[in-house]
Amino acid sequence: MARFDFTGKVALIAGASRGIGEAVAHGFAEHGATVICSSRKQGDCEKVAEAIRAKGGKAVSAELHLGELDHHDKVLEMIEKEFGRLDVLVNNGATSPHFGPAHEASEGAFDKTIEVNTRGPYFLSTKAFPMLKADGGGSIVNVASIDGLQPAEFRVIYGMSKAALIAMTKGLAKEYSQHGVRVNALLPGFTDTKLASALKDNPAMDMYVKMNLAIKRMAQPEEMVGAVLYMASEEASYYTGQNMVVDGGAVI
Ligand SMILES: NC(=O)c1ccc[n+]([C@@H]2O[C@H](COP(=O)([O-])OP(=O)(O)OC[C@H]3O[C@@H](n4cnc5c(N)ncnc54)[C@H](OP(=O)(O)O)[C@@H]3O)[C@@H](O)[C@H]2O)c1
């Protein structure tokens, strides 16, 4: 479908070294975009970019720590210089250093979670806005979580950071959509990635899956790609400020 075609478009994926971000990077490249795969570990992102190029796609890698605002500036300057445009930003990178009772969380774990999951996407989005609105407009997709709607025990700070990301999505949508930049969020459920590995290995999760999910299994990262592509595409030209929940029916 032509409106799902990203040929000639440039997409920056923050947090593309593995998991959902890696799958999303492949998805954009398969639909014609030039993809900038970024995270703290440029070497890992370069492997993702290489795999995309090996399939005939267009991709480069960049070092981008969401917490380091000078990295934001450097990557956006590189994109301006090398490609002259930016059409899509996916804020996918996140961390969750504290898993346990809320009163045992350190200040450091609290600050790190907010720095990477909330502050980073805010400044990357606002810094990218001028480039996104040039050349006819663009799109931001924030990867939040169903934890932002229904916070879970033992990862309260993570849930708070994602609730803030959902609020940011709605606020920026109100500000930016009139300039042609739509802003939406993907809210994944339980997905088979490194971030969820501690949960996956916890025997209590089998019970969670049986009791709470309509589809009785965890998602694979590739199952998140279609939703992100849709939200970023022309097909979603009247879609903004929304949460797209892809969670196997956990939140119904
Ligand atoms: N898996 C789930 O069950 C689940 C559920 C709901 C929402 N999500 C969300 O989905 C998104 C992707 O997570 P995932 O499940 O795919 O986990 P993952 O496989 O662990 O991937 C996390 C990604 O975030 C990047 N990242 C971490 N810290 C970063 C930082 N400071 N700056 C830039 N990038 C950083 C990592 O890259 P480097 O380590 O190379 O920096 C990696 O590419 C996250 O926003 C997560 O909250 C996941």
Side-chain angles (χ1 to χ4, degrees), residues 59-165:
V60 299
S61 61
E63 182 188 9
L64 194 161
H65 186 316
L66 277 161
E68 304 286 343
L69 300 193
D70 60 320
H71 288 200
H72 299 199
D73 295 331
K74 278 188 196 140
V75 170
L76 292 172
E77 278 162 24
M78 180 278 283
I79 293 171
E80 176 85 72
K81 189 163 164 263
E82 298 293 324
F83 305 105
R85 63 186 296 143
L86 179 64
D87 303 281
V88 177
L89 166 63
V90 180
N91 281 308
N92 171 74
T95 190
S96 187
H98 179 72
F99 185 78
H103 59 273
E104 289 179 7
S106 67
E107 283 181 40
F110 185 99
D111 291 348
K112 186 83 194 161
T113 310
I114 300 300
E115 175 191 275
V116 176
N117 300 5
T118 308
R119 180 177 174 271
Y122 179 84
F123 283 104
L124 189 55
S125 300
T126 53
K127 284 168 185 279
F129 172 61
M131 252 206 284
L132 287 167
K133 84 170 171 181
D135 294 320
S139 179
I140 298 172
V141 179
N142 297 311
V143 181
S145 167
I146 56 171
D147 275 30
L149 299 178
Q150 292 187 343
E153 63 176 354
F154 298 142
R155 45 180 203 269
V156 173
I157 305 166
Y158 175 79
M160 292 166 65
S161 73
K162 294 299 189 176
L165 194 58

Side-chain angles (χ1 to χ4, degrees), residues 17-18 20 39-40 65-66 92 94 144 158 162 189 191 193 195:
S17 59
R18 57 176 188 268
I20 294 170
S39 81
R40 291 168 303 177
H65 186 316
L66 277 161
N92 171 74
Y158 175 79
K162 294 299 189 176
T191 309
T193 67
L195 192 77

Side-chain angles (χ1 to χ4, degrees), residues 5 7 19 25 42 44-45 47 50 68 72 75 83 86 95 111 118 121 126 134 172 176 191 209 214 235 240 242:
D5 185 15
T7 303
Q42 189 172 357
D44 291 351
C45 289
K47 284 183 195 151
E50 262 173 32
E68 304 286 343
H72 299 199
V75 170
F83 305 105
L86 179 64
T95 190
D111 291 348
T118 308
T126 53
L172 289 185
Y176 288 176
T191 309
V209 167
E235 197 63 35
T240 196
Q242 301 301 318

